[in-house]
Amino acid sequence: GAAWVVDLAEKPHQLVTGATQSGKSTLTAALLVALAPRPVAVVGIDAKGGIELGLFEPRLSALATTRAEAAAVLEALVDEVLDRMGACRAAGVRSIWDLAPASRPVPVVVLVDEVAEVFLYSDRAGKDEAGRCVTALVRLAQLGAALGVHLWVSGQRFGSDLGGGATLLRAQLAGRICHRVADVETAEMTLAGLPAEATDAALSIPVHLPGVAVVGDDSGAWARARSAYVPLTDAVEAAHEYAGERIELPGVTAALGRVRDQRGGDGSWR
């Protein structure tokens, strides 16, 4: 009967899994509605051509719609984190929250939709891009918590077939949210480190209860919860209503622009 609250100040990074119609995308929409009016930069990584997060683009500081763009954006965010680290070191503090409000950089929430699209590849160029994405995501997870950069990594499937980088990244994502999934390995990977009963509970979520999930963290605590329903139309409206709150991230914008400038008018590389 207690309220379930996702607190990014307490658990800076979250791994969210769920099959189609399980409530995963609706939960991301609820997150966007909560963040839209706040002084927070939101960056989207949607390597499926932006078909999901593109709906919220008016409020996003940047939206990467290919793996090449994702690699550039994530690496630019790593540079942002390193700049923030330098500012904290110069001020003699350990996190941006210890800086004076006037000099404190804005928090950044990175929404990664369908993480498998970032990890998987079919050619040499894709392998390089995927490797860059994985390295940048892991660095952001390792360094970002105290520096105001948060990861919301979601996907239908999260398994060993994504490569060793998936396990490494998962270890850095303390918050775990597992909706109804289509395979055992995704539940086990998402809830690794939690008692076996947590995985059993996730695998028993019925189809007719979207939004129900097993939630836990690296402390070993877990619970079954159900997120409040937020219609997709509400999230789209919020993205447009609060478009004026969009926060510019110059380094990220420049990195994204450089990748897009390499494309010809027909979508081919120059």
Side-chain angles (χ1 to χ4, degrees):
W4 170 42
V5 178
V6 176
D7 187 347
L8 295 179
E10 181 181 346
K11 300 296 178 188
H13 311 304
Q14 303 281 329
L15 174 61
V16 186
T17 57
T20 302
Q21 302 298 315
S22 67
K24 171 175 56 67
S25 296
T26 302
L27 182 59
T28 298
L31 175 68
L32 186 98
V33 168
L35 294 176
R38 300 169 183 261
V40 176
V42 184
V43 174
I45 306 292
D46 183 358
K48 293 188 299 182
I51 194 170
E52 295 286 343
L53 298 183
L55 297 172
F56 314 131
E57 192 166 10
R59 180 57 181 82
L60 301 181
S61 298
L63 174 62
T65 60
T66 68
R67 188 171 46 234
E69 292 180 0
V73 165
L74 292 170
E75 288 173 343
L77 286 169
V78 170
D79 290 340
E80 172 71 20
V81 164
L82 294 177
D83 288 345
R84 294 181 178 200
M85 185 184 296
C88 288
R89 185 168 60 249
V93 298
R94 299 178 65 183
S95 82
I96 65 165
W97 308 111
D98 297 322
L99 294 171
S103 58
R104 183 182 303 152
V106 298
V108 180
V109 177
V110 184
L111 306 180
V112 182
D113 184 81
E114 200 49 67
V115 67
E117 294 293 327
V118 173
F119 276 70
L120 298 178
Y121 54 87
S122 59
D123 54 30
R124 190 166 187 173
K127 180 179 181 180
D128 176 65
E129 292 168 357
R132 290 167 57 199
C133 287
V134 172
T135 299
L137 280 169
V138 171
R139 293 197 72 192
L140 289 173
Q142 290 175 330
L143 304 174
L147 300 168
V149 177
H150 308 273
L151 297 180
W152 180 272
V153 179
S154 64
Q156 293 187 40
R157 174 163 173 73
F158 198 85
S160 57
D161 58 322
L162 299 184
T167 302
L168 187 59
L169 176 61
R170 181 200 60 192
Q172 303 295 328
L173 306 177
R176 310 288 177 80
I177 304 172
C178 184
H179 297 83
R180 175 182 56 81
V181 292
D183 62 286
V184 174
E185 187 180 9
T186 295
E188 291 176 340
M189 282 282 284
T190 306
L191 302 174
L194 298 178
E197 311 89 81
T199 300
D200 293 339
L203 293 172
S204 68
I205 297 173
V207 175
H208 66 274
L209 288 179
V212 170
V214 169
V215 300
D217 55 47
D218 55 355
S219 71
W222 68 278
R224 181 165 147 146
R226 192 173 196 181
S227 55
Y229 175 61
V230 175
L232 181 61
T233 52
D234 287 3
V236 173
E237 288 177 6
H240 284 82
E241 179 181 356
Y242 295 103
E245 302 299 318
R246 177 184 178 276
I247 296 173
E248 182 69 26
L249 297 173
V252 173
T253 301
L256 190 56
R258 286 193 294 271
V259 175
R260 291 177 175 171
D261 285 345
Q262 295 178 56
R263 295 276 187 179
D266 58 357
S268 61
W269 290 102
R270 293 186 190 274

